[in-house]
Amino acid sequence: MNEQSTFDEVKRRLAEIHYLGRAKALFDWDERTMMPPGGAESRAEQVAALVRVRHEKLASDELGRLLDELQPFGEELSYESDEAALIRVARRDHEKARRVPVELLAEMARAASVAENVWREAKRRNDFGLFLPHLDRNVYLRLRYAHCFEREHVYDPLLDDYEPGMKTSEVTAILADLREALVPLVEEVSPRAAEVDDTFLRKTFPVDGQRALVRRMLGALPMPSESWRLDETTHPFQMSLSPTDVRLTTRYDEDDLPAAVFAALHEYGHGLYENGVDPALDGTPLGRPTSLGLHESQSRMWENHVGRSLPFWRRFYGALDESFPGSLDGVGAEGFFRAVNKVQPSLIRIEADELTYDLHILLRFELECELFEGELEPRDLPEAWNERTQSYLGIEVPDDAHGVLQDVHWAGGDFGYFPTYSLGNVIAAQLWEKAREALPDLDNQIEAGDFEPLREWLREHVHRHGRKFSAAEVVERATGRPIEVGPYVRYLTSKFRTLYG
Ligand code: ZN
């Protein structure tokens, strides 16, 4: 075979692998939005079967042989070309897959699927003991998984699945820098933040009004209406089946208006990234976002930099007021903006304000490292969790449902995932600083409801690349700097000092 036909054959095989991955995403989306509980057991088997078939194709000797043949061809091409990137990324995926026995992978998928359903019940009943055997099993399986790879730190292979190329030591350094900057800032602004009036947010906001508001907001943001849908779930998430099939979810609770609004904006940011990947890359391993940290940078940007800004609420305050007639008398855009930025250490990560959010992540990252280093047993997690919440956030955890059981990640076996949230915050601020330089009129554009220039900037510098470049490469190309916490600390300091005088 000549190089071109070998390349075409590799692409054909990779397309199948890519589409099997997307099919699994549909199973996952369905499980979290539509599936009746009775589907849980056979869904676990369906997912395991799909994972097995995909893995066998990705790890196959034949694909390895074809990739070997293409190696010299790939090295002659420019690093930036789609073809070179495809060969590079496919080789990395293939080599990772080769190291993991297919049985282990199928078992991880099956165990995670069962555990997620038990976790839901355990959280509802506030019963950590019910969940513990499944947590034990997930940790055991992920530990076996980590041991399939060469590593500096046992956590490295887990992290690498979500943040390719990133090391545990790098995350430790970033989180340490953040902690050093955030703890004094929280102490500085907390007393004045306590005076902010957010009592009106504790009113009841009928769910119909919330649905209407969220629809109006998302409808005004740039993404073609035929490319996305919005559904309801307890734990909001985004999942895409293709760049033009973006699935957003949010949750509605009449006692919690901000939850619905900011979850929707957050998931929109994720969806916009998926939607912006170059269509020419679809159907290849490059045709999706490159890392969870970069993914999260996009959601946090729309949730916080855009959504929790004064210009945004000057734009949407009218829609807000109309959705809940009489509920917001006299609050005004500025009052609403101040209320949704109130700094207040809280128990639940997804409800945390921007300043205390990363302390929630630090806590989880430390516990995960200790679990995998063998310093902490799963059964001792609740106690360790509660102690650290007291020490980092200064609050008492009343029960496990509001503590160690609050997030789905450990049920899904997703260890290594949490730090990508903080990386996302850091990267978001770094990109935002650069975007503002390029778009000096950005605040006015947001207030005027013109989000196109920002979307275009993000598409050009981030979205379109898909997996062609790593997160670190994307950031370096967009900003000229490695990933660093400086812009994030500057952003938080300036925002909260301005807010609180
Ligand atoms: Zn997210």
Side-chain angles (χ1 to χ4, degrees):
M1 269 199 275
N2 65 27
E3 277 159 352
Q4 190 55 51
S5 59
T6 309
F7 186 78
D8 291 344
E9 173 60 14
V10 163
K11 247 184 122 171
R12 190 192 62 75
R13 286 168 181 257
L14 294 173
E16 259 182 9
I17 293 163
H18 174 82
Y19 291 126
L20 285 168
R22 293 297 202 179
K24 178 178 179 291
L26 179 58
F27 281 12
D28 292 340
W29 175 82
D30 173 74
E31 186 173 333
R32 294 186 195 175
T33 52
M34 301 285 166
M35 188 185 79
E41 261 180 59
S42 70
R43 179 55 47 86
E45 295 306 323
Q46 293 156 6
V47 167
L50 203 54
V51 163
R52 175 195 300 273
V53 174
R54 182 179 178 277
H55 182 79
E56 280 168 358
K57 288 182 179 292
L58 183 57
S60 82
D61 294 341
E62 187 54 16
L63 180 62
R65 199 185 57 70
L66 292 167
L67 284 168
D68 283 344
E69 258 177 54
L70 279 181
Q71 188 78 0
F73 171 64
E75 281 163 8
E76 278 167 25
L77 298 165
S78 142
Y79 184 84
E80 318 215 332
S81 74
D82 290 356
E83 292 79 7
L86 185 103
I87 297 169
R88 185 165 72 230
V89 169
R91 170 162 288 281
R92 197 176 63 218
D93 291 350
H94 169 73
E95 282 170 2
K96 278 191 78 166
R98 295 280 290 184
R99 290 177 171 273
V100 187
V102 66
E103 279 312 324
L104 175 58
L105 218 62
E107 189 47 36
M108 284 184 346
R110 191 181 295 119
S113 185
V114 173
E116 271 199 43
N117 287 291
V118 174
W119 164 78
R120 245 170 247 133
E121 185 60 17
K123 184 175 170 183
R124 200 180 59 76
R125 288 206 245 150
N126 187 31
D127 183 352
F128 180 76
L130 181 66
F131 177 53
L132 181 59
H134 299 273
L135 178 64
D136 265 327
R137 179 102 188 119
N138 278 351
V139 171
Y140 164 75
L141 291 170
R142 293 288 153 166
L143 200 56
R144 275 183 56 198
Y145 178 79
H147 284 291
C148 295
F149 299 90
E150 285 162 24
R151 64 211 171 264
E152 270 170 39
H153 190 284
V154 62
Y155 193 78
D156 283 350
L158 306 177
L159 181 64
D160 192 81
D161 280 355
Y162 307 106
E163 207 53 44
M166 178 86 55
K167 294 277 173 279
T168 307
S169 53
E170 295 171 85
V171 172
T172 306
I174 287 173
L175 284 173
D177 286 350
L178 271 185
R179 186 182 176 188
E180 211 162 290
L182 291 179
V183 171
L185 195 54
V186 172
E187 274 170 23
E188 181 191 322
V189 306
S190 284
R192 264 166 290 173
E195 292 159 17
V196 172
D197 179 18
D198 66 345
T199 45
F200 62 89
L201 286 180
R202 271 169 245 131
K203 286 186 182 168
T204 296
F205 293 90
V207 166
D208 282 347
Q210 295 191 30
R211 281 198 191 100
L213 174 65
V214 165
R215 290 260 163 216
R216 270 179 84 173
M217 278 175 24
L218 294 189
L221 299 179
M223 180 145 57
S225 59
E226 66 277 14
S227 297
W228 60 277
R229 56 175 290 131
L230 175 70
D231 293 276
E232 297 177 21
T233 179
T234 344
H235 300 274
F237 66 95
Q238 177 278 148
M239 218 165 250
S240 290
L241 307 185
S242 83
T244 48
D245 183 354
V246 171
R247 310 289 173 98
L248 310 176
T249 64
T250 193
R251 71 186 174 105
Y252 297 105
D253 171 352
E254 62 175 15
D255 296 323
D256 196 348
L257 168 66
V261 168
F262 292 104
L265 289 171
H266 180 100
E267 304 310 339
Y268 166 81
H270 280 306
L272 190 67
Y273 184 6
E274 301 264 1
N275 180 248
V277 174
D278 183 351
L281 302 178
D282 190 30
T284 80
L286 306 180
R288 55 188 171 89
T290 198
S291 84
L292 285 196
L294 200 59
H295 223 314
E296 192 68 9
S297 78
Q298 298 308 291
S299 56
R300 296 292 277 177
M301 186 181 285
W302 287 90
E303 176 189 356
N304 291 330
H305 297 261
V306 177
R308 281 184 220 268
S309 74
L310 187 53
F312 186 85
W313 286 106
R314 287 199 174 122
R315 177 70 195 168
F316 285 104
Y317 188 77
L320 175 70
D321 201 28
E322 280 166 34
S323 304
F324 309 103
S327 292
L328 293 161
D329 284 346
V331 172
E334 178 130 10
F336 191 78
F337 159 69
R338 290 174 67 81
V340 297
N341 280 293
K342 182 165 182 168
V343 173
Q344 205 165 34
S346 62
L347 286 168
I348 307 294
R349 173 185 63 86
I350 57 167
E351 293 166 7
D353 58 79
E354 281 179 274
L355 261 194
T356 55
Y357 186 93
D358 296 286
L359 299 173
H360 290 262
I361 302 304
L362 181 69
L363 172 155
R364 288 157 177 76
F365 172 65
E366 287 178 356
L367 294 177
E368 287 190 345
C369 285
E370 289 166 29
L371 272 178
F372 284 88
E373 286 162 354
E375 300 285 316
L376 181 68
E377 292 294 326
R379 65 168 180 275
D380 298 324
L381 264 177
E383 206 189 326
W385 180 288
N386 298 351
E387 273 173 23
R388 239 165 281 209
T389 303
Q390 179 62 253
S391 128
Y392 294 168
L393 293 156
I395 42 180
E396 201 76 45
V397 180
D399 56 50
D400 291 336
H402 292 83
V404 69
L405 287 175
Q406 67 180 266
D407 282 318
V408 67
H409 306 62
W410 293 343
D414 295 329
F415 300 95
Y417 190 127
F418 279 121
T420 67
Y421 289 121
S422 284
L423 282 172
N425 288 335
V426 167
I427 295 171
Q430 211 172 336
L431 293 170
W432 184 252
E433 199 171 74
K434 204 71 191 172
R436 290 189 77 92
E437 274 173 43
L439 308 169
D441 211 24
L442 185 56
D443 281 349
N444 291 330
Q445 287 162 348
I446 291 174
E447 191 170 335
D450 181 11
F451 298 95
E452 271 302 334
L454 178 59
R455 193 268 291 262
E456 266 318 300
W457 190 91
L458 291 170
R459 172 172 287 179
E460 171 64 22
H461 294 278
V462 180
H463 301 168
R464 70 185 171 97
H465 298 307
R467 289 175 81 211
K468 267 181 81 171
F469 305 113
S470 70
E473 286 170 335
V474 168
V475 170
E476 181 98 43
R477 292 166 62 95
T479 69
R481 304 280 307 165
I483 297 171
E484 56 190 1
V485 302
Y488 185 40
V489 173
R490 282 199 286 280
Y491 157 75
L492 290 174
T493 307
S494 143
K495 175 171 181 174
F496 287 97
R497 284 214 177 122
T498 307
L499 260 167
Y500 300 128

